[in-house]
């Protein structure tokens, strides 16, 4: 414990370096702005700023993106409570009680409960992150190539199971991502795959190009289809934040701790993230909470539960990212991409080889949450004023960032055409209800999974049963198959129920 506190203290000192502190504050501000602007999602915001981290020192780059990740889970609360417009899907459950409280004439009180929930949930989750990441990484040091492949497969299966839309669509999205990841030179045998005699494709397709195109350009094309027609918003005069009393907070301590713990655990699960944490914790309070019958009418429990869970999921999501190299959400997948851009593979060894960087990231989460809440308290009016920006102008800046980002990595115009192609693909995915997250995770994790699989085959004489006969890899493979089977069983039950319902009228 003393060793952890010593390294965390060194991390706090490193965060006070002027450049690192500037990146931290900039990330918090940008994350709040991204959260406030409806349609500009947290993941897309982090993706747009990923190219600008290419020339940065790796610690500053991760601090910037992590700060955006943290504050993005809070920024959308303003529009949800004041305008009934969730800036993020994360904040859909929040508006059910937050907007109801605001309509009752208490918007300042609703914003106060949101701020307290974000601060408390984030801080407790950060403490748990510091305490759990090193033990998880120490356990993972026992892993060999079969275990690495099994846990990568588990991460991919989790994204499929929790992908939006049908299971078939999620599978197709993942397979397309894996196909894109296979373009280039085979890492084991050195042969070319799907390069079509294009020299630039011999180096593969940069995952940054895929992410920027699918998320950024795809979103702009979706808005263009509707003519950038966003509804004008009524002004909220004298918008401010009123903190609850100590007695009110004490009365909700049990519910707060329950939601924070559940949100942190959900954040650890690969493929889950803040949105699922927010919905699940609101649902738990609606079914089992002390005031479950009043949920939706503007009670503090309906605000604290989803917001504390959403912010707590950040600390949970960083644990598998740092300890295992597995992203727990779309935003952590982008942060994984930032690590890889700088030649660092997160995993068990990072706690040994780059412990100073890891504890600086830990410290930045603590400082970032505090800065986020201070800015959220005092800057509510200018944040809400951002909504006056015309949607077409915002989209133009998004496209500008996309082009700059795609050109920054290899300075090749082919990447611009590839980005536009993936933008069209992202647009079609949105139209056809295909989830983008499995596509992106397939592009990022595909090469890692292939490398682990090939290493296992070489090390164990092409014996594929090694993935199931070794205790750790066998357990993880079983969990991966279970994760895959559960939504399939649910889908079959729904079809059976629909079939039986369709037969009942015919019996009369």
């Amino acid at each position: 414990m003393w060793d952890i506190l010593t390294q965390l203290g060194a991390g706090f000192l490193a965060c006070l370096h002027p450049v690192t502190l500037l990146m931290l504050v900039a990330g918090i501000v940008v994350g709040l702005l991204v959260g406030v602007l409806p349609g500009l999602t947290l993941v897309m915001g982090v993706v747009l700023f990923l190219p600008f981290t290419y020339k940065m020192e790796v610690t500053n780059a991760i601090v910037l993106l992590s700060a955006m990740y943290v504050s993005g889970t809070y920024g959308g609360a303003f529009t949800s409570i004041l305008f009934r417009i969730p800036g993020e899907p994360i904040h859909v459950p929040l508006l059910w009680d937050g907007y109801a409280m605001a309509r009752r004439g208490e918007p300042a009180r609703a914003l106060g409960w949101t701020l307290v929930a974000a601060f408390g949930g984030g801080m407790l989750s950060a403490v748990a992150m510091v305490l759990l990441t090193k033990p998880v990484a120490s356990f993972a040091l026992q892993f060999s190539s079969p275990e690495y492949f099994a846990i990568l497969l588990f991460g991919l299966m989790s994204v499929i199971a929790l992908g939006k839309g049908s299971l078939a669509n999620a599978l197709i999205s993942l397979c397309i991502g894996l196909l894109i990841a296979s373009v280039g030179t085979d890492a084991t045998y050195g042969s070319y795959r799907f390069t079509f005699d294009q020299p630039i494709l011999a180096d593969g397709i940069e995952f940054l190009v895929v992410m920027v195109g699918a998320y950024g350009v795809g979103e702009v094309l979706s808005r263009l289809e509707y003519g950038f027609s966003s509804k004008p918003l009524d002004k909220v005069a004298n918008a401010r934040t009123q903190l609850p009393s100590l007695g009110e907070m004490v009365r909700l301590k049990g519910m707060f701790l329950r939601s924070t713990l559940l949100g942190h655990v959900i954040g650890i699960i690969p493929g889950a993230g803040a949105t699922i944490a927010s919905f699940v914790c609101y649902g738990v309070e609606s079914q089992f909470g002390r005031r479950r019958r009043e949920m939706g009418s503007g009670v503090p429990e309906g605000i604290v539960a989803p917001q504390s869970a959403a912010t707590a999921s950040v600390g949970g999501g960083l644990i598998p990212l740092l300890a295992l190299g597995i992203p727990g959400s779309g935003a952590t997948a982008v942060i994984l991409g930032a690590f890889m851009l700088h030649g660092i593979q997160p995993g068990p060894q990072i706690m040994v080889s780059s412990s100073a960087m890891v504890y600086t990231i830990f410290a930045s989460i603590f400082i970032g949450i505090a800065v986020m809440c201070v800015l959220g308290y005092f800057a509510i009016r200018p944040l809400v004023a951002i909504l006056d920006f015309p949607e077409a102008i915002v989209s133009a800046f998004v496209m500008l960032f996309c082009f700059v980002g795609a050109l920054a990595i290899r300075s090749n115009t082919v990447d611009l055409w590839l980005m536009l192609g993936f933008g069209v693909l992202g647009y079609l995915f949105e139209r056809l209800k295909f989830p983008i997250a499995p596509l992106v995770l397939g592009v990022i994790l595909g090469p890692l999974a292939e490398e682990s699989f090939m290493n296992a085959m070489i090390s164990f004489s092409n014996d594929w049963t090694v993935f199931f006969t070794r205790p750790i890899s066998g357990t993880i493979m079983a969990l991966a198959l279970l994760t895959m089977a559960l939504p399939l069983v649910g889908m079959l039950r729904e079809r059976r129920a629909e079939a039986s319902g369709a037969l009942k009228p015919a019996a009369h």
Side-chain angles (χ1 to χ4, degrees):
M1 177 60 73
W2 180 251
D3 179 59
I4 291 176
L5 292 176
T6 302
Q7 295 189 75
L8 186 61
F12 277 105
L13 291 176
C15 284
L16 297 179
H17 186 277
V19 176
T20 305
L21 190 60
L22 176 63
M23 292 299 102
L24 177 60
V25 175
I28 293 295
V29 172
V30 174
L32 289 173
L33 296 179
V34 167
V36 165
L37 286 171
L40 191 61
T41 65
L42 169 60
V43 175
M44 191 170 80
V46 178
V47 167
L48 291 178
F49 272 78
L50 177 60
F52 298 100
T53 67
Y54 185 59
K55 298 296 184 181
M56 291 183 187
E57 195 270 329
V58 60
T59 302
N60 294 335
I62 305 303
V63 165
L64 171 67
L65 299 180
S66 299
M68 290 182 63
Y69 181 25
V70 171
S71 60
T73 64
Y74 172 60
F78 299 113
T79 53
S80 294
I81 291 172
L82 299 177
F83 304 113
R84 203 170 179 267
I85 299 176
E88 287 280 333
I90 300 167
H91 295 107
V92 171
L94 178 68
L95 67 82
W96 295 330
D97 282 89
Y99 184 70
M101 188 179 289
R103 287 293 299 270
R104 205 168 58 210
E106 301 176 300
R109 184 166 173 255
L111 291 170
W113 278 114
T114 305
L115 187 146
V116 168
F119 180 80
M123 286 297 184
L124 286 180
S125 179
V127 171
M129 172 188 66
V130 173
L131 295 177
L132 292 178
T133 302
K134 191 169 184 178
V136 172
S138 299
F139 174 72
L141 285 172
Q142 305 175 33
F143 289 7
S144 184
S145 49
E147 285 76 23
Y148 280 121
F149 174 76
I151 201 165
L152 287 165
L153 181 64
F154 175 65
L156 293 171
M157 292 300 103
S158 299
V159 171
I160 292 174
L162 297 169
K164 299 176 182 177
S166 69
L167 177 61
N169 288 356
L171 274 170
I172 292 171
S173 177
L174 175 67
C175 290
I176 292 174
L178 294 174
L179 182 63
I180 294 169
S182 67
V183 173
T185 306
D186 180 89
T188 304
Y189 299 105
S191 58
Y192 291 155
R193 301 182 301 197
F194 308 114
T195 57
F196 304 104
D197 296 324
Q198 296 294 322
I200 192 171
L201 292 182
D203 294 329
I205 297 176
E206 290 286 341
F207 57 83
L208 178 63
V209 173
V210 179
M211 288 193 293
V212 170
Y215 280 115
V217 179
E219 180 65 26
V220 172
L221 292 177
S222 297
R223 295 189 197 183
L224 178 62
E225 181 183 9
Y226 297 101
F228 301 113
S229 56
S230 58
K231 296 180 181 179
L233 301 175
D234 297 329
K235 294 294 180 184
V236 175
N238 300 319
R240 61 189 182 90
T241 300
Q242 176 187 334
L243 297 177
S245 67
L246 181 61
E248 289 176 313
M249 289 188 281
V250 169
R251 280 195 293 273
L252 298 186
K253 64 180 184 301
M255 182 275 303
F256 164 73
L257 290 173
R258 178 169 60 247
S259 298
T260 299
L261 176 62
L262 187 54
H264 184 79
V265 171
I266 291 174
I268 294 175
I269 300 172
T275 301
I276 292 173
S278 177
F279 275 91
V280 168
C281 288
Y282 188 93
V284 168
E285 291 307 312
S286 298
Q287 295 182 38
F288 307 107
R290 182 171 55 87
R291 301 179 68 180
R292 56 185 177 275
R293 301 183 189 278
E294 301 175 60
M295 295 288 282
S297 63
V299 296
E301 286 84 348
I303 298 173
V304 174
Q307 182 61 64
S308 60
T311 310
S313 70
V314 174
L318 289 174
I319 291 175
L321 173 67
L322 294 171
L324 304 173
I326 300 297
S329 64
T332 51
V334 182
I335 296 174
L336 172 63
F339 273 114
M340 297 177 68
L341 276 177
H342 290 83
I344 295 176
Q345 174 58 53
Q349 294 294 339
I350 199 173
M351 299 298 296
V352 178
S353 61
S354 306
S355 61
M357 177 188 67
V358 171
Y359 280 94
T360 302
I361 295 169
F362 287 165
S364 74
I365 299 297
F366 286 96
I367 298 175
I369 292 169
V371 172
M372 172 189 77
C373 292
V374 171
L375 290 177
Y377 183 85
F378 290 106
I380 178 172
R381 292 184 189 178
L383 283 173
V384 173
I386 296 297
L387 295 170
D388 284 338
F389 288 4
E391 191 176 7
I393 293 178
V394 174
S395 298
F397 275 103
V398 169
M399 286 296 294
L400 175 63
F401 287 153
C402 288
F403 277 98
V404 171
L407 198 60
I409 302 302
R410 297 189 288 190
S411 301
N412 195 305
T413 55
V414 174
D415 283 333
L416 297 181
W417 292 106
L418 289 172
M419 179 197 69
L420 291 175
F422 288 116
V424 174
L425 183 64
Y427 165 74
L428 293 175
F429 268 39
E430 290 291 336
R431 286 293 305 271
L432 301 175
K433 307 300 181 184
F434 282 78
I436 298 177
L439 168 75
V440 172
L441 265 294
V443 172
I444 293 178
L445 297 184
L448 303 177
E450 179 188 14
E451 182 181 357
S452 297
F453 178 81
M454 294 302 296
N455 288 340
M457 291 293 96
I458 293 171
S459 301
F460 295 92
S461 304
N462 292 328
D463 181 13
W464 61 269
T465 62
V466 69
F467 298 113
F468 300 93
T469 54
R470 291 166 64 94
I472 297 177
S473 62
T475 302
I476 299 172
M477 289 292 284
L479 289 173
L481 294 175
L482 181 63
T483 303
M484 179 70 178
L486 286 177
L488 183 60
V489 171
M491 182 180 65
L492 293 175
R493 284 181 177 176
E494 288 179 5
R495 289 185 177 179
R496 186 177 300 173
E498 291 174 0
S500 61
L503 291 174
K504 284 182 180 178
H508 291 289

